[in-house]
Amino acid sequence: MTESYEAVVVGGGAAGLSAALVLGRAGRRTLVVDAGEPRNAPSAHMQGYLSRDGMSPAEFLATGREEIARYGVELVRDRVVDATRDGDFTLTPAGGGSVRARHLVIATGLKDELPPVPGLAERFGRDVVHCPYCHGWEVRGLATGVLATTALSVHQALMVTQWSKDVRLFLHQVPEAELTDVDRRWLAAAGVEVVPGEVAEVLTEDDRLTGVRLTGDGSAEGAVHEREVLYVAPRAVPRNELFVRLGAELRETPFGSYPVIDERGLTSVPGLWAAGNASGFAEQVVNAASRGYRAGAAINGELLLADLDAVAQV
């Protein structure tokens, strides 16, 4: 059996649930397919979302699911493994069967790949963090490290000094020679200590981060730098498989390939929409929800005009 919907949303995070809420309130038969892999699952709280500041990601999503259910929106736990388009969209969930949709919203977000430093992944979302706007207030004033993975880590270290005046930039994968004169002037002006060398491991004690150890010279272990929090910039990996399958035009960025979209989130494929981190790297939760809302409202308008055209041509 193939179920048909006016809109299907793939991805049940802030963007997907927001789009579904708008569509449900417009009386559109809507389905959300969610694999249950939110990007911010490691975090105990989310910040910067007015009226939801400090709420846990799990509570936020549970509240969103309750809200869309009030308007008849269906939600299934599954993963879409294939998609085709012949005017409408046909989706193949991993659990079997197929789903038809007049419009398709992809809000699958992205995943974070952390540098392979022992001890790093276990602390991610706690005292290993990636975004000062998300975590800076909670770790303000602590002895802070920044693990450099690209030249952009210099900017991250400079930003972090707004929340701590004890900041060390561990160059790790960035050769010291790659620092420009401007980088060095800014880092010195901000009071950031630059530490050459590769980080060998993250150290913990009593379930808290205590520092990092540098690689040694082969005859001895490297120096230990006591730190209480460590910032890192994970490698962003967009979940863009469905855009590729459906032939959407993509744009290359320093953070991966994302679909080309208009201001509403419409891709180059008619009826195919992108929202949240599926549309770009820098969407925080509040921005993702806004993107989803905009896409949902635009889809409802598109459906309305298409239905009126069909009636007018009879």
Side-chain angles (χ1 to χ4, degrees):
M1 295 290 292
T2 299
E3 291 285 339
S4 295
Y5 295 86
E6 291 178 286
V8 170
V9 180
V10 181
L17 292 176
S18 184
L21 180 63
V22 173
L23 289 162
R25 286 178 52 83
R28 298 298 182 181
R29 187 165 192 240
T30 303
L31 171 70
V32 176
V33 184
D34 181 40
E37 298 175 346
R39 181 189 180 195
N40 59 358
S43 297
H45 49 78
M46 61 180 207
Q47 312 295 157
Y49 196 135
L50 189 63
S51 83
R52 297 293 181 264
D53 188 66
M55 177 181 279
S56 76
E59 182 183 358
F60 177 80
L61 294 179
T63 300
R65 295 183 197 115
E66 292 175 1
E67 290 178 352
I68 65 171
R70 296 175 198 163
Y71 304 103
V73 175
E74 301 174 45
L75 185 146
V76 296
R77 287 287 192 187
D78 210 334
R79 183 187 307 278
V80 174
V81 295
D82 197 11
T84 59
R85 179 178 179 272
D86 57 3
D88 288 349
F89 298 90
T90 300
L91 309 179
T92 304
S98 62
V99 177
R100 294 277 288 177
R102 294 172 64 185
H103 285 258
L104 174 61
V105 180
I106 298 179
T108 46
L110 54 82
K111 59 183 178 180
D112 294 311
E113 285 189 355
L114 293 166
V117 175
L120 190 73
E122 293 82 356
R123 308 303 304 178
F124 189 55
R126 302 166 70 186
D127 36 26
V128 171
V129 296
H130 73 291
C131 169
Y133 290 109
C134 303
H135 303 280
W137 179 263
E138 284 66 39
V139 298
R140 67 193 185 280
L142 299 181
T144 299
V146 176
L147 184 68
T149 52
T150 72
L152 293 175
S153 298
V154 170
H155 176 74
Q156 188 179 36
L158 295 173
M159 288 289 297
V160 166
T161 60
Q162 291 185 247
W163 287 269
S164 173
K165 298 306 178 187
D166 181 2
V167 178
R168 293 180 190 174
L169 174 62
F170 298 99
L171 291 183
H172 190 51
Q173 297 175 348
V174 177
E176 189 173 7
E178 289 189 8
L179 295 182
T180 67
D181 290 341
V182 173
D183 290 336
R184 295 176 187 278
R185 286 201 303 271
W186 282 348
L187 289 167
V192 176
E193 180 182 346
V194 177
V195 182
E198 186 175 351
V199 172
E201 62 176 324
V202 171
L203 305 175
T204 60
E205 184 178 328
D206 297 329
D207 196 32
R208 62 184 181 86
L209 188 148
T210 58
V212 301
R213 185 190 304 278
L214 302 185
T215 55
D217 60 6
S219 61
E221 291 185 326
V224 170
H225 290 256
E226 294 183 356
R227 298 287 90 183
E228 297 169 282
V229 61
L230 184 66
Y231 281 86
V232 61
R235 176 175 173 263
V237 181
R239 294 189 173 107
N240 58 13
E241 297 86 356
L242 294 179
F243 294 116
V244 173
R245 287 179 179 274
L246 292 166
E249 181 183 355
L250 301 179
R251 57 187 172 87
E252 295 297 327
T253 78
F255 308 103
S257 300
Y258 296 89
V260 175
I261 57 174
D262 69 11
E263 67 279 1
R264 304 170 301 164
L266 181 63
T267 72
S268 61
V269 177
L272 178 62
W273 306 74
N277 282 126
S279 66
F281 166 76
E283 303 299 336
Q284 306 287 8
V285 178
V286 66
N287 304 118
S290 174
R291 285 278 192 181
Y293 188 104
R294 185 177 301 181
I299 290 168
N300 183 59
E302 294 278 339
L303 289 168
L304 172 64
L305 295 179
D307 290 343
L308 290 175
D309 277 344
V311 171
Q313 292 171 12
V314 173

